[in-house]
Amino acid sequence: MALTKPTKRGRHDHPVPQKQNAPVPDDLVSDEHEPPEAGKPESLEDQLLRLCLALNEAGYRAEIHNGQVVVSPAANMQHAVILDQLSNLLYPLKLPNRWRFFYNWGVHIPPQPDLRLPDLMVLPEQAEAFDEMRAHGRGLLLVVEVCSPGTYKVDWQEKPLDYARAGVPLYLIVDPLGSPRRVTLMSDPLPDLEPLDHHRQAYRQIVTAEEGEVLELPEPFGIKIETSALFD
């Protein structure tokens, strides 16, 4: 397929808690960030993206936030196991719906040349690519972040605003560091957010399930997640 360029206690809503490799396959590449022509100066955006690509290929996890490259610590085993468990729960939906699960592709955060790398991105077969490193958030189905000590504040405070601004419809945070451990689903992003719009809740619906409770993923998923399965 080819992506197209753009032409626990029960469920409850509440504010967000305050604490806190490989290149894309050829059929997923658009032409918006091809190497510059000989003699043509490279834009700052292209320089940032090229630096991120080099860092990610070297095994780091580099993102662009507010025009600056940010490198996150490497994930630990618990982080990897949670992603594997969650993928297993979602996998029955993958093949019949022809969805894709990406672990190393980014989301474009407008209006800057910002790049976020979700721990897991679920997208339909015909999703929109912004460029060779980033997808349009509005075309995704779900992004997932698993909290770690080095990314806790970012996952809870920065990324909800970034993903909402990008139009990501569902943002799932798996938090194995809280007490109790929990899973939070954010949905219905505000449509008019600004880059530094921290005074408003970026997603209008926030539902949290503590470990042992059940969290429902709405359509197009239409399934209930046993949160204890993620933390075993």
Side-chain angles (χ1 to χ4, degrees), residues 139 194 213:
E194 299 294 332
E213 297 179 340

Side-chain angles (χ1 to χ4, degrees), residues 56-211:
N56 290 329
E57 288 179 338
Y60 299 95
R61 192 169 186 85
E63 300 176 306
I64 304 172
H65 178 58
N66 291 334
Q68 296 184 336
V69 174
V70 180
V71 180
S72 300
N76 58 26
M77 181 177 179
Q78 181 189 42
H79 188 282
V81 168
I82 288 174
L83 282 178
D84 182 63
Q85 299 279 61
L86 179 59
S87 297
N88 287 341
L89 295 176
L90 298 178
Y91 201 82
L93 299 170
K94 183 180 188 296
L95 294 182
N97 290 290
R98 304 179 72 176
W99 291 346
R100 295 196 171 198
F101 290 7
F102 286 173
Y103 303 89
N104 294 295
W105 207 33
V107 181
H108 171 244
I109 311 298
Q112 306 101 322
D114 282 8
L115 161 72
R116 286 300 195 182
L117 291 173
D119 289 323
L120 170 63
M121 177 193 302
V122 180
L123 62 162
E125 185 178 29
Q126 298 297 330
E128 281 187 312
F130 179 79
D131 60 20
E132 63 187 27
M133 294 182 65
R134 297 170 290 181
H136 279 291
R138 62 178 178 264
L140 306 180
L141 302 175
L142 173 74
V143 299
V144 179
E145 299 287 0
V146 178
C147 293
S148 60
T151 67
Y152 198 87
K153 181 178 179 180
V154 172
D155 293 337
W156 279 111
Q157 294 186 350
E158 294 181 7
K159 289 195 173 181
L161 176 58
D162 286 348
Y163 288 142
R165 284 171 44 219
V168 173
L170 297 174
Y171 173 36
L172 188 72
I173 306 176
V174 183
D175 183 0
L177 305 178
S179 181
R181 296 183 290 189
R182 56 192 166 173
V183 182
T184 295
L185 178 67
M186 300 186 182
S187 60
D188 195 10
L190 290 177
D192 58 345
L193 292 164
E194 299 294 332
L196 299 178
D197 201 347
H198 296 290
H199 65 285
R200 290 190 294 169
Q201 188 169 281
Y203 283 89
R204 285 173 281 213
Q205 299 295 324
I206 301 177
V207 179
T208 293
E210 297 177 357
E211 181 178 7

Side-chain angles (χ1 to χ4, degrees), residues 18-91:
Q18 293 304 304
K19 58 176 184 174
Q20 296 286 308
N21 320 340
V24 177
D26 291 341
D27 66 337
L28 300 177
V29 175
S30 79
D31 59 2
E32 293 207 14
H33 285 283
E34 294 178 348
E37 299 175 6
K40 182 179 179 180
E42 192 175 36
S43 69
L44 175 60
E45 179 176 354
D46 285 330
Q47 292 178 42
L48 291 172
L49 290 171
R50 186 163 52 82
L51 175 58
C52 280
L53 181 60
L55 288 169
N56 290 329
E57 288 179 338
Y60 299 95
R61 192 169 186 85
E63 300 176 306
I64 304 172
H65 178 58
N66 291 334
Q68 296 184 336
V69 174
V70 180
V71 180
S72 300
N76 58 26
M77 181 177 179
Q78 181 189 42
H79 188 282
V81 168
I82 288 174
L83 282 178
D84 182 63
Q85 299 279 61
L86 179 59
S87 297
N88 287 341
L89 295 176
L90 298 178
Y91 201 82

